[in-house]
Amino acid sequence: MSMVITREHRERAAGALVASAVGDALGAGYEFTHPTPDTHIDMIGGGPFGFAPGEWTDDTSMTIAVATAATQHDLRTCAGLDSVVAEFLRWSGSNPKDIGNQTRAVLSQVPASAAEMTRVAQALPGRTGGNGSLMRTSPVGLRHLDDGVACIAAARAVSDLTHSDPRAGEACEMWSYAIRHAVLTGTFDGVRQYLDVVGADTKSFWTPLLDQAERGAPADFPNNGWVVHALQTAWWAITSTDRSNSGHLAAALEQAVRAGNDTDTVAAIAGGLLGARWGLSAVPPRWRSQLHGWPGSKADYLEDLADRILDCIAPRGERLG
Ligand SMILES: [Mg+2]
């Protein structure tokens, strides 16, 4: 499929990666705490893993790994998924401060290919529905901007590398589809539209959960280390804040952190969709300028990755900025 990539597409694609990283860095200082509703949320750093103010965590590092693979490959292909695995191992070899439990268990086996990694993930005992694949899914919607069916397939395959629980796969499909839709249209409608293009079981599982997120409060979905409650908390943060202007992006990220518990990951998830909807220009400059992390990078690195991913769909006629 061929399509024209506009300036707006590039602005929103960059917004998806940068706002996700901003949410991650914003939440890092509050992980496993429960800020009160009047807590001033800022890039304070610290938290259980001692991040610097503005430093992103594993959520963004793994997003960069997926994004880097996406600059060269279709993420549904063996070559694309093998490249994601190689990038994951490059990152985990850098001795990161924090790696999620499921991801650590899979990467510690040093899988030689995506097929092997997926098999290792499937063999993990116990609960396999952590939020660790949802937090890194934002590049998938960019790479498959021209094809919603491909976007869903790629989201599932990248999730399955570490998370075999089908709900983790569905959450990644939904969020990637919604990010793609937001980059294309500048709306949040893709979340619900995903449910119209998937099977009846998936639709009947998620519809009441989205309803609950829109009507409820974080106490209704408190286990946000679980992918289902993480997605609900992110959707709650997005839908419970004023959506009438681009100030929504910052307000919803703060709201996501105030929900407490796995604050960096929930805010990273929310940020991916918020940035795709509102674009890079909605990211507060004070946050964008503080942003940094593996591999010794800043926000402009994420913006360049987004541009290079879109170049795979259609070469640029005009550079952003
Ligand atoms: Mg993290």
Side-chain angles (χ1 to χ4, degrees), residues 24 31 51 57-59 98 135 262 264-265:
D24 179 14
E31 196 173 3
F51 287 99
T57 82
D58 56 331
D59 307 51
D98 183 22
M135 72 188 191
D262 202 351
D264 59 325
T265 295

Side-chain angles (χ1 to χ4, degrees), residues 184-241:
L184 288 173
T185 67
T187 73
F188 294 111
D189 298 344
V191 171
R192 295 279 184 176
Q193 283 189 15
Y194 162 77
L195 296 176
D196 291 329
V197 300
V198 292
D201 166 77
T202 303
K203 182 170 185 171
S204 63
F205 178 80
W206 287 100
T207 297
L209 294 168
L210 292 177
D211 293 343
Q212 182 186 44
E214 290 174 15
R215 288 196 296 258
D220 298 321
F221 20 88
N223 305 317
N224 58 33
W226 180 35
V227 65
V228 172
H229 282 188
L231 188 148
Q232 285 187 284
T233 309
W235 191 234
W236 166 80
I238 290 168
T239 57
S240 66
T241 39

Side-chain angles (χ1 to χ4, degrees), residues 85-96 99 103 107-108 294:
V85 172
E87 293 296 323
F88 282 169
L89 288 169
R90 189 166 73 89
W91 162 70
S92 67
S94 73
N95 194 24
I99 299 188
T103 297
L107 288 177
S108 68
W294 180 89

Side-chain angles (χ1 to χ4, degrees), residues 69-144:
T71 62
Q72 296 180 7
H73 301 283
D74 180 324
L75 293 173
R76 297 167 297 172
T77 62
C78 288
L81 293 165
D82 285 349
S83 177
V84 172
V85 172
E87 293 296 323
F88 282 169
L89 288 169
R90 189 166 73 89
W91 162 70
S92 67
S94 73
N95 194 24
K97 290 175 182 166
D98 183 22
I99 299 188
N101 292 333
Q102 269 177 259
T103 297
R104 182 190 301 275
V106 178
L107 288 177
S108 68
Q109 305 286 312
V110 196
S113 68
E116 185 184 335
M117 190 168 182
T118 303
R119 278 196 299 274
V120 171
Q122 282 168 348
L124 282 185
R127 289 195 272 182
T128 56
N131 59 22
S133 62
L134 182 57
M135 72 188 191
R136 61 172 200 239
T137 206
S138 54
V140 177
L142 311 188
R143 181 61 182 83
H144 296 286

